[in-house]
Amino acid sequence: MLIAITEAGWYLIGASALFLLVFTVFLLFYYKVQIRQNNYMLKEEQMRFEYQEQLLKTQLEIQEQTLKTISQEIHDNIGQALTLAKLNLNTMLPVEDDLLEQKIINSKELVSKAITDLRDLSHSLDTDYVQEMGLQRAIEYELERIQKTGAASAVLEVDGNAYRLSKQKELILFRITQEAFTNSIKHAEPKSIRVNMNYTAEGLIMVISDDGKGMDLLEVTAPNAGVGTRNMQSRADMIGASISFNSSPGNGTSINIFLPHENNKDA
């Protein structure tokens, strides 16, 4: 049975259709605005991240240039001056005064040790030298330097099949390790420092540990705390590595770093 649609009915249908059309257009417009806004926020967040990353990179480059300048200064000036002093001591004639002769011998030994220590320090500060050695050898070299000072026994353990990373990532990981060593020797008074480098299928795992006094993590990670842990965290973020700190007073400190394989490529 056919139902006759009155003029008012057609008007109602037309109005409903127009309302649906306007509502649909509004939804599409709103959806498009939301997408545009979300894209803008994502772009803004990406720009902020890139800015922070570039800022960290610039700061690192400035620090590395400063360290390189200090390294060259040590090698070219202080090292040469000590070498000349040693040569002068070596040319001194033997004397009959046993006490004076012993003082000369002691002076020669002290100057020789100073030359060796300065050369080792110069190498550890020199960016080019560190990158030439590679991360594993650079860390081993640094541990040998700590061992020679008598500050603590130092051991490097390597598991898995070692591989090289990009120069920048190796340098940043080395500087993080140096920061950890400095903090440990300066504040923890450890008897031993140990580094484990584990090359796994997922990525590189590094554990830097000591048996020192330990620390209160809430204090060292507070906003007004020192820059040591913040520097390590910022540098790890810069290369896409994760870093965590495990410590408590009297129980030593362990720093765990993980660099996934996908972040091991040259940036």
Side-chain angles (χ1 to χ4, degrees):
M1 179 177 63
L2 296 177
I3 299 176
I5 302 177
T6 63
E7 185 177 344
W10 282 111
Y11 178 78
L12 182 61
I13 292 173
S16 299
L18 181 61
F19 174 78
L20 288 173
L21 178 62
V22 172
F23 184 71
T24 302
V25 171
F26 173 77
L27 283 179
L28 290 173
F29 177 76
Y30 178 77
Y31 180 69
K32 188 174 182 180
V33 169
Q34 285 295 109
I35 291 177
R36 186 175 297 174
Q37 186 176 6
N38 289 339
N39 288 338
Y40 175 78
M41 292 176 65
L42 287 172
K43 187 175 181 181
E44 189 178 47
E45 183 66 26
Q46 180 66 23
M47 289 176 63
R48 189 181 298 111
F49 174 78
E50 289 176 355
Y51 170 76
Q52 292 294 335
E53 187 177 53
Q54 189 61 38
L55 182 62
L56 286 171
K57 185 177 180 181
T58 301
Q59 291 173 340
L60 181 64
E61 288 173 350
I62 293 171
Q63 291 174 6
E64 290 304 323
Q65 185 57 48
T66 302
L67 291 176
K68 190 171 183 178
T69 301
I70 294 172
S71 171
Q72 291 174 343
E73 184 71 19
I74 290 172
H75 180 271
D76 296 340
N77 296 324
I78 302 176
Q80 288 185 8
L82 286 172
T83 300
L84 288 174
K86 183 180 178 181
L87 288 173
N88 287 336
L89 286 171
N90 287 333
T91 57
M92 287 184 177
L93 297 174
V95 293
E96 295 181 359
D97 188 333
D98 293 338
L99 182 59
L100 179 59
E101 185 173 359
Q102 186 59 47
K103 285 183 178 180
I104 293 174
I105 293 173
N106 292 341
S107 297
K108 290 179 182 179
E109 292 175 351
L110 288 172
V111 171
S112 295
K113 185 178 185 304
I115 292 172
T116 300
D117 291 345
L118 282 172
R119 184 183 65 243
D120 291 344
L121 178 60
S122 174
H123 288 166
S124 71
L125 296 177
D126 188 346
T127 300
D128 295 337
Y129 192 82
V130 170
Q131 291 179 336
E132 182 182 335
M133 283 193 293
L135 176 62
Q136 185 175 316
R137 177 58 189 136
I139 291 176
E140 188 176 30
Y141 186 90
E142 196 72 4
L143 289 171
E144 289 172 356
R145 194 166 72 87
I146 293 172
Q147 183 89 29
K148 283 191 291 186
T149 65
S153 65
V155 178
L156 172 65
E157 299 172 339
V158 179
D159 298 317
N161 297 319
Y163 50 80
R164 292 292 302 269
L165 311 177
S166 70
K167 289 184 177 180
Q168 185 186 39
K169 290 179 175 61
E170 288 199 340
L171 180 60
I172 290 175
L173 286 174
F174 177 68
R175 294 305 182 205
I176 291 174
T177 306
Q178 275 189 316
E179 185 86 45
F181 291 162
T182 300
N183 290 342
S184 177
I185 293 171
K186 186 176 179 181
H187 302 294
E189 300 177 3
K191 293 181 180 179
S192 65
I193 296 174
R194 185 178 300 271
V195 178
N196 179 268
M197 301 178 68
N198 188 7
Y199 296 87
T200 71
E202 291 75 25
L204 173 61
I205 301 171
M206 286 182 59
V207 180
I208 308 164
S209 58
D210 67 46
D211 59 356
K213 295 189 296 185
M215 57 185 175
D216 186 338
L217 290 178
L218 292 177
E219 291 183 2
V220 298
T221 56
N224 59 345
V227 297
T229 52
R230 291 206 305 273
N231 277 346
M232 287 187 274
Q233 182 68 64
S234 297
R235 288 176 171 178
D237 291 342
M238 190 175 174
I239 58 174
S242 62
I243 184 169
S244 61
F245 303 87
N246 297 310
S247 185
S248 61
N251 294 312
T253 300
S254 175
I255 301 172
N256 303 279
I257 305 168
F258 175 59
L259 180 66
H261 264 315
E262 59 266 25
N263 294 332
N264 291 344
K265 301 174 182 177
D266 288 330

